[in-house]
């Protein structure tokens, strides 16, 4: 069996450092397997989050050789094992210890987004009718596993730490899923402009390229939402129409 | 008293998968103050792994379906040792619980007339599983999570409970620690709901994550509640077998529901070779009819690949043992073949089974639209668990409730696919409702400070042993291997007696295991504390499996391979005796009411 070197981040923000571990590797292994082997035999107290180990829960986000990835879905045969593999915590969130970060900001942001509110049921038995074609685009966003890698890689959050002014790509996709939900009745366009800070996104598509679920966050969520904001607040023709008609268009 | 952070809630819900979230939502809606404890981050619980769908007799796809058919299917699948009251409530209430999710924002796949689409699944007579591709669990947990955060529910993320506290006979609180800082937490409550899921980490090949260390079952047992049916463990027939690092990860039954077939190394569809008598009338006897069933032909009977999970798992084991397995010790599951029968077959597969396509592509370099998958049984679910009242979900301990996988009764000896997600909703709601009602009638109980000190001291003991103690991972690993070998899919009395001897030695090793490092986010320390739960529940499984001298559902005895009608009359119940030793008793199953007996007879 071959062996490989892994440099894992150990410790906190101030005292932290990369520490080297040798471990044996075999066919089909993913980075999380190597991290678990090291934890079981060499570093029992190594802090790492994981759950499903199948790319479905979004717990094991990290930066592998500098790239934001899920550890459970990064196979070792996609990496150059002649060189040490570095595994570091997500950089955009405060470090707790080792590979674990404090992602609580994300949970707080979600709570501030206006919740789903359906129209009255379509049928007397209290149910609704929706066509598959109408739910397809919403289902794309609802594939999100909340790994927060898009938040980690977004430069508005990562480099500029605009966490008070910008909800980040995860929650723009979340708003898109609500806004495009065939049953939802709430209007979040004004919030997008102000509280959610959609204007701060300048469409570099880093989030889309990082998403392990391959959700086209920029093209399918953020750009259509930006268009709604523009139509509402910056389109002179629409403003004129609104003025003449004397009511708010949606 | 030890340095602890104290919280107070009317109702404390322990576990935040589908059942816990649903219980918390209901308790809050009933006006109780609610605390929700989750071992991981919110929304990461094992419910996300449920793929195929949620079973409910909505009758959107086949209008012959109704609660009676669902009830009879559940009882037949469970081999009639189910808690029939739970099976009745479940079948009657599941449709409302599913429709309620739509009200909260869930987006299920649709029928052509815009209603919730339903798919075929093993043991269900009609297409019954509401679904979202093959990520139904994710849709469900996200819907519940996004609804719950706007209710009066305090969420305590990454907190593990290690003991329940009582005032006399009744529940008065729970004690645990937070992962991040390793601080102790004391939760005072009037009622508690256990919704901690399963026990899969007692086995080496499992679809379960690190969390499933039998916490709820063990907490309840140690608090004086009874466990029931612990011999009934479900080995899901189709887990990944290759590469080694993904061994055990689930391959949804939905693959077979969409027309996937099982073949051995000779290319034979071996499931046609062994169809149990009680399913013969409703199972196709030729490939053509089976195919028509998966494509929605209402006059066709289901293919034998969709027989119950216990049976399919054993047939796979038989092929492998007979030398007709795949190169890595499984059999072949082929969905690619449907390209011969449907236009755009590859596209249909990717659309219907997107996560399976993704999972095999990324983890095994297999394109399931081109090649068959290699699959074999994996420890998936435990039908047994905490004994509860069917209506209220209360255990024998006043104020202590249990719902979802950690509770027993609904599934009997074998669970049908899709009946777990509906179980979580139906009985999560009931547990939350009844816990809130109970809390309203009770003053706050007392918490014994000396008890809290004792628990805190015990929790820190692994640090005192530190490097002198054995690594907890080594003990856990050996336990998993031992249970897999000696109390696995095929069981024998002599092997299980040996397992009990091993468990005694492993208990000593666990009590001597050490934790290095400090209290902050230290998985080694956490694992050392999980070991006790795993050992308790492993003992309950082994002891129960020894006593049931027959084969039924998920419990297969090589030395008693047949079903014994005389043993359909009891549930095995395990309690902690006054001396601390585990005591087993056979509790008779109450007679089936005439109207339910008639339903079963009519659906035969």
């Amino acid at each position: 069996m071959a062996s490989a070197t892994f440099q894992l981040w150990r410790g906190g923000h101030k005292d932290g450092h990369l520490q080297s571990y040798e471990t044996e590797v075999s066919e089909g292994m993913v980075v999380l397997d190597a991290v678990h082997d090291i934890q079981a035999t060499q570093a029992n107290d190594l802090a790492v989050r994981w759950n499903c180990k199948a790319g479905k829960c979004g717990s094991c986000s990290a930066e592998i050789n500098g790239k934001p990835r899920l550890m459970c879905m990064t196979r070792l045969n996609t990496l150059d094992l002649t060189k040490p593999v570095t595994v570091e915590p997500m950089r955009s969130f405060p470090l707790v210890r080792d590979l674990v970060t404090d992602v609580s900001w994300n949970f707080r942001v979600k709570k501030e987004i206006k919740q789903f509110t359906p129209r009255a049921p379509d049928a007397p038995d209290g149910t609704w009718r929706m066509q598959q074609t109408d739910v397809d685009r919403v289902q794309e966003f609802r594939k999100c596993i909340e790994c927060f890698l898009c938040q980690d890689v977004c430069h508005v959050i990562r480099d500029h730490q605009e966490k008070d002014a910008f909800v980040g790509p995860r929650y723009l996709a979340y708003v898109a899923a609500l806004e495009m939900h065939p049953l939802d009745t709430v209007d979040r366009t004004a919030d997008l402009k102000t509280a959610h800070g959609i204007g701060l996104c300048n469409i570099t598509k880093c989030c889309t390229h990082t998403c392990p679920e391959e959700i086209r966050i920029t093209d399918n969520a953020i750009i259509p939402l930006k268009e709604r904001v523009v139509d509402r607040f910056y389109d002179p023709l629409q403003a004129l129409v609104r003025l003449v008609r004397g009511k708010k268009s949606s | 008293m030890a340095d602890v952070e104290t919280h107070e809630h009317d109702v404390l819900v322990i576990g935040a998968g589908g059942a816990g979230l649903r219980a918390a939502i209901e308790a809050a809606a009933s006006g109780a103050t609610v605390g929700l404890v989750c071992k991981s981050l919110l929304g990461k619980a094992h419910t996300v792994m449920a793929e195929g769908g949620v079973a409910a007799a909505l009758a959107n796809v086949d209008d012959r379906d109704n609660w009676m058919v669902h009830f009879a299917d559940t009882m037949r699948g469970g081999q009639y040792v189910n808690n029939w009251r739970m099976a009745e409530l479940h079948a009657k209430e599941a449709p409302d619980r599913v429709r309620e999710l739509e009200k909260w924002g869930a987006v299920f796949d649709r029928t052509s007339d815009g209603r919730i689409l339903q798919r075929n699944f093993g043991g269900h007579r009609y297409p019954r599983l509401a679904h979202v591709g093959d990520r139904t669990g994710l849709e469900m947990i996200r819907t519940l999570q996004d609804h719950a955060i706007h209710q009066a529910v305090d969420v305590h993320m990454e907190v593990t409970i290690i003991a329940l506290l009582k005032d006399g006979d009744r529940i008065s609180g729970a004690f645990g620690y937070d992962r991040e800082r390793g601080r102790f937490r004391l939760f005072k409550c009037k009622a508690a709901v256990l919704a901690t899921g399963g026990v899969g980490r007692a086995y080496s090949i499992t679809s379960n994550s690190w969390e499933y260390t039998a916490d709820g079952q063990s907490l309840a047992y140690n608090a004086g509640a009874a466990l029931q049916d612990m011999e009934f463990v479900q080995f899901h027939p189709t887990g990944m077998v290759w590469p080694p690092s993904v061994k055990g990860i689930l391959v949804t039954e939905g693959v077979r529901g969409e027309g996937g077939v099982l073949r051995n190394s000779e290319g034979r569809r071996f499931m046609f070779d062994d169809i149990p008598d009680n399913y013969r009338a409703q199972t196709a006897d030729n490939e053509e009819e089976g195919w028509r069933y998966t494509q929605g032909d209402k006059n066709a009977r289901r293919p034998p690949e969709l027989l119950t999970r216990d049976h399919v798992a054993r047939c796979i084991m038989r092929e492998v043992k007979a030398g007709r397995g795949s190169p890595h010790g499984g059999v072949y599951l082929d969905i690619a073949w449907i390209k011969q029968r449907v236009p755009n077959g590859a596209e249909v597969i990717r659309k219907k089974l997107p996560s399976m396509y993704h999972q095999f592509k990324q983890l095994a370099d297999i394109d399931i639209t081109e090649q068959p998958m290699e699959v074999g049984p994996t420890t998936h679910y435990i039908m047994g668990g905490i004994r509860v009242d069917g209506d209220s979900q209360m255990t024998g301990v006043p104020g202590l409730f249990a719902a979802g996988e950690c509770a027993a009764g609904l599934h009997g000896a074998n669970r049908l696919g899709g009946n777990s997600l509906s179980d979580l909703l139906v009985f999560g709601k009931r547990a939350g409702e009844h816990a809130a009602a109970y809390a309203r009638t009770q003053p706050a109980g007392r918490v014994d400070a000396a008890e809290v000190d004792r628990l805190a001291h015990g929790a820190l003991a692994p640090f005192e042993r530190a490097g002198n103690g054995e690594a907890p991972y080594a003990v856990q690993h050996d336990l998993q291997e031992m249970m897999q070998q000696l109390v696995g899919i095929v069981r024998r009395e002599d092997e299980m007696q040996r397992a009990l001897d091993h468990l005694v030695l492993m208990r000593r090793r666990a009590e001597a295991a050490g934790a290095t490092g400090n209290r902050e986010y230290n998985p080694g320390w956490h694992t050392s504390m999980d070991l006790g739960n795993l050992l308790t529940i492993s003992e309950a499984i082994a002891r129960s499996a020894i006593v049931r001298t027959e084969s039924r559902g998920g419990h297969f005895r090589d030395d008693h391979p047949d079903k014994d009608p005389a043993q359909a009359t009891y549930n095995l119940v395990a309690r902690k005796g006054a001396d601390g030793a585990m005591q087993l008793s056979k509790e008779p199953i109450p007679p089936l009411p005439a109207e339910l007996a008639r339903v079963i007879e009519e659906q035969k």
Side-chain angles (χ1 to χ4, degrees):
Chain A
M1 217 184 266
S3 84
T5 304
F6 288 82
Q7 295 189 325
L8 309 185
W9 185 267
R10 296 304 311 271
H13 187 64
K14 288 196 183 116
D15 61 339
H17 59 283
L18 283 173
Q19 190 164 328
S20 285
Y21 299 91
E22 291 272 318
T23 190
E24 292 191 333
V25 298
S26 59
E27 189 184 343
M29 270 176 75
V30 293
V31 169
L32 185 60
D33 293 318
V35 169
H36 278 158
D37 285 351
I38 292 163
Q39 184 188 51
T41 56
Q42 305 175 50
N44 280 188
D45 65 338
L46 173 66
V48 54
R49 277 198 189 103
W50 71 283
N51 282 72
C52 77
K53 211 178 167 293
K56 294 191 174 71
C57 77
S59 300
C60 64
S61 306
E63 302 193 2
I64 299 163
N65 287 341
K67 289 208 172 72
R69 307 282 299 268
L70 293 176
M71 286 187 270
C72 72
M73 296 304 275
T74 306
R75 290 186 63 175
L76 295 184
N77 65 3
T78 63
L79 303 171
D80 178 4
L81 297 183
T82 62
K83 288 186 265 182
V85 175
T86 61
V87 185
E88 296 169 87
M90 287 191 285
R91 209 173 287 179
S92 294
F93 307 112
L95 185 57
V96 173
R97 201 169 74 79
D98 301 344
L99 301 177
V100 173
T101 53
D102 175 0
V103 292
S104 56
W105 169 72
N106 293 285
F107 291 89
R108 289 195 298 275
V109 168
K110 184 186 252 188
K111 227 173 154 166
E112 281 157 22
I113 295 166
K114 289 191 181 114
Q115 94 181 97
F116 173 76
T117 311
R119 68 179 184 230
D122 300 331
D125 65 355
T127 60
W128 288 270
R129 299 290 178 271
M130 291 184 268
Q131 291 305 308
Q132 185 63 41
T133 46
D134 296 326
V135 301
D136 276 342
R137 58 180 187 168
V138 180
Q139 286 183 334
E140 181 189 4
F141 308 132
R142 293 183 68 87
K143 286 195 304 188
C144 173
I145 56 174
E146 301 197 332
C147 64
F148 307 130
L149 286 171
C150 59
Q151 307 284 74
D152 181 46
V153 81
C154 175
H155 67 101
V156 181
I157 298 167
R158 190 181 181 93
D159 300 328
H160 305 292
Q161 286 288 324
E162 296 266 20
K163 288 190 181 124
D164 293 332
F166 183 58
V167 295
R170 159 60 191 137
Y171 294 107
L172 291 175
Y174 182 67
V175 173
L178 290 164
E179 287 286 291
M180 298 178 194
H181 194 303
L183 306 185
D184 184 67
T185 55
V186 176
D187 181 358
R188 299 171 188 81
T189 312
D191 286 352
L192 280 166
K193 178 171 178 278
T194 53
H196 305 338
I198 195 169
L200 287 167
C201 165
N202 51 3
I203 324 184
T204 52
K205 297 198 177 186
C206 306
C207 51
T208 302
H209 295 140
T210 303
C211 179
E213 286 293 305
E214 296 172 6
I215 300 168
R216 284 170 296 170
I217 305 171
T218 319
D219 288 352
N220 292 354
I222 299 179
I223 291 175
L225 292 181
K226 276 178 175 278
E227 285 168 351
R228 288 181 188 210
V229 171
V230 168
D231 286 350
R232 170 79 58 84
F233 296 102
Y234 302 103
D235 184 339
L237 203 62
Q238 292 261 351
L240 196 65
V241 171
R242 275 198 298 272
L243 200 66
V244 173
R245 288 191 178 164
K247 67 175 181 188
K248 219 175 113 184
S249 76
S250 56
Chain B
M1 196 160 75
D3 185 20
V4 293
E5 193 176 318
T6 303
H7 309 271
E8 248 181 284
H9 306 287
D10 292 336
V11 176
L12 181 70
V13 180
I14 303 168
L21 279 163
R22 190 63 191 80
I25 288 168
E26 197 63 23
S30 312
T33 61
V34 180
L36 178 63
V37 168
C38 40
K39 203 168 170 180
S40 288
L41 296 174
L42 188 62
K44 307 299 185 191
H46 217 57
T47 307
V48 301
M49 290 293 281
E51 292 158 351
V54 45
L58 298 162
N60 287 354
V61 171
D62 192 321
D63 59 14
R64 291 172 296 182
D65 204 9
N66 57 52
W67 79 264
M68 290 174 280
V69 189
H70 193 183
F71 167 76
D73 285 351
T74 300
M75 294 295 291
R76 186 188 301 110
Q79 312 250 356
Y80 304 105
V81 291
N82 320 54
N83 176 328
W84 47 259
R85 176 63 177 157
M86 286 174 74
E88 179 194 5
L89 290 170
H90 168 255
K92 284 179 172 168
E93 294 176 5
D96 279 346
R97 295 289 82 75
V98 170
R99 287 191 280 261
E100 190 170 65
L101 290 180
E102 194 150 272
K103 187 169 80 186
W104 296 341
V107 185
F108 290 102
D109 288 351
R110 317 308 295 181
T111 62
S112 56
D113 65 349
R115 295 184 295 166
I116 295 172
L117 182 61
Q118 298 181 273
R119 69 158 46 122
N120 288 314
F121 234 58
H124 293 283
R125 175 168 285 198
Y126 302 120
R128 189 175 286 147
L129 270 66
H131 60 277
V132 187
D134 54 3
R135 56 162 192 84
T136 313
L138 174 67
E139 183 70 17
M140 219 173 91
I141 201 165
R142 203 64 84 227
T143 300
L144 292 170
Q145 171 190 350
D146 293 352
H147 187 71
I149 59 174
H150 295 286
Q151 315 305 312
V153 175
D154 287 338
V155 181
H156 304 276
M157 285 199 268
E158 297 196 306
V159 169
T160 303
I161 298 298
I162 55 178
L164 297 173
L165 304 168
K166 295 203 298 186
D167 178 359
D169 285 338
R170 72 182 176 100
I171 283 296
S172 62
F175 179 79
Y177 62 88
D178 70 67
R179 288 167 73 76
E180 186 171 327
R181 297 281 167 236
R183 284 169 305 204
F184 291 124
R185 303 284 192 102
L186 171 62
F187 298 90
K188 296 181 177 174
C189 62
K190 297 173 183 170
V193 179
L194 294 168
T196 57
V199 307
R201 297 308 281 183
Y203 289 87
S204 60
I205 301 173
T206 177
S207 62
N208 291 190
S209 84
W210 69 274
E211 292 189 299
Y212 299 92
T213 51
D215 296 5
Q217 293 87 342
S218 185
L219 290 169
Y221 172 82
N222 286 325
L227 302 176
Q228 171 185 320
D229 298 338
M230 294 301 284
E231 69 276 29
F232 297 125
V233 176
Q234 180 166 79
F235 299 91
H236 192 290
T238 59
M240 291 176 82
V241 297
W242 185 261
S245 69
V246 299
K247 198 164 183 159
I249 293 180
L250 196 64
V251 180
T252 175
E253 193 166 318
V255 175
R256 285 169 280 146
E258 298 297 342
V261 298
L262 291 166
R263 294 185 199 281
N264 62 20
S265 60
E266 296 164 0
R268 182 176 174 78
R269 277 181 71 180
F270 56 86
M271 288 306 301
F272 279 105
D273 299 344
D274 181 5
I275 298 169
D277 288 340
N278 59 337
Y279 280 96
R280 195 173 300 279
Q282 40 174 276
T283 306
D285 54 13
N286 65 83
E287 299 193 10
E288 188 55 37
E289 184 181 2
W291 167 251
R292 284 193 282 114
Y293 176 90
T294 64
Q295 300 309 297
D297 181 342
K298 292 182 181 177
N299 296 315
R301 294 170 299 174
R302 63 174 165 250
E305 275 86 359
L306 291 176
L307 285 163
T308 54
R309 289 174 172 179
D310 52 336
H311 180 73
V312 179
R314 274 195 300 280
C315 289
I316 291 174
M317 291 284 286
R318 182 193 65 212
E319 293 302 307
V320 173
K321 277 193 176 160
R324 297 188 292 267
S326 65
H328 302 107
V331 295
Y332 295 108
L333 173 60
D334 186 7
I335 183 75
W337 83 281
I338 71 166
K339 289 191 295 183
Q340 301 163 17
R341 308 298 290 262
V342 288
N344 303 324
E347 209 173 290
V348 170
I349 295 166
R350 279 194 295 267
K351 169 75 190 160
K352 293 280 189 182
L353 302 162
S355 359
M356 286 303 106
Y357 175 76
H358 203 60
Q359 183 173 314
F360 274 88
K361 191 92 182 151
Q362 281 200 278
L363 294 175
D365 280 332
I366 299 268
D367 179 349
I368 65 169
T369 69
E370 296 291 336
Q371 295 162 272
M373 299 158 251
E374 272 188 79
V375 296
T378 180
T379 314
H380 183 55
Y381 188 88
I382 185 158
M383 278 67 74
I386 304 160
R387 187 171 165 91
V388 292
D389 172 73
D391 285 83
S392 70
Q393 300 287 291
M394 190 149 93
T395 68
V397 175
L400 182 62
F401 299 76
E405 186 173 352
C406 74
L410 171 60
H411 309 295
N414 174 62
R415 175 176 69 81
L416 299 184
N419 269 2
S420 181
L421 291 185
S422 42
D423 174 8
L424 309 183
L425 296 173
V426 169
F427 295 106
K429 175 187 184 284
R430 282 184 165 267
E433 181 183 324
H434 288 274
Y438 177 89
R440 272 198 296 277
T441 66
Q442 301 293 321
R446 283 174 304 115
V447 166
D448 179 355
E451 170 77 354
V452 170
D453 280 339
R454 192 185 61 75
L455 289 166
H457 182 75
L460 294 174
F463 284 118
E464 288 162 20
R465 295 186 288 271
N468 299 325
E470 188 178 5
Y473 294 103
V475 184
Q476 192 186 43
H477 176 265
D478 290 354
L479 171 68
Q480 291 166 342
E481 292 290 325
M482 189 278 289
M483 287 296 287
Q484 188 79 35
Q485 293 298 322
L486 302 181
V487 200
I489 305 179
V490 176
R491 300 163 173 176
R492 300 177 53 86
E493 168 147 13
D494 55 336
E495 290 183 343
M496 293 191 287
Q497 291 292 355
R498 275 200 284 138
L500 290 177
D501 296 339
H502 282 292
L503 286 171
V504 173
L505 298 173
M506 283 179 179
R507 171 80 63 181
R508 278 184 220 148
R509 284 172 65 190
E511 283 166 0
T516 53
N518 61 40
R519 284 166 68 172
E520 288 184 12
Y521 219 109
N522 184 339
W525 177 41
H526 306 153
T527 300
S528 71
M529 288 185 278
D530 290 341
L531 285 174
N533 299 341
L534 283 173
L535 287 161
T536 299
I537 261 44
S538 296
E539 182 183 345
I541 295 171
R543 286 196 188 281
S544 305
I546 288 169
V547 173
R548 188 171 284 279
T549 50
E550 63 157 352
S551 293
R552 183 180 296 273
H555 171 65
F556 185 78
R557 288 281 300 260
D558 206 21
D559 46 357
H560 298 278
D562 297 320
K563 196 152 50 178
D564 171 11
Q567 299 197 51
T569 55
Y570 68 85
N571 294 118
L572 272 175
V573 171
R575 287 188 182 84
K576 192 173 188 172
D579 59 353
M582 191 174 286
Q583 293 175 346
L584 254 65
S585 58
K586 291 180 179 176
E587 310 269 339
I589 297 172
L592 202 60
E595 68 270 24
L596 292 181
R598 198 165 52 244
V599 167
I600 288 174
E601 201 47 46
E602 283 167 5
Q603 301 296 333
K604 268 206 171 129

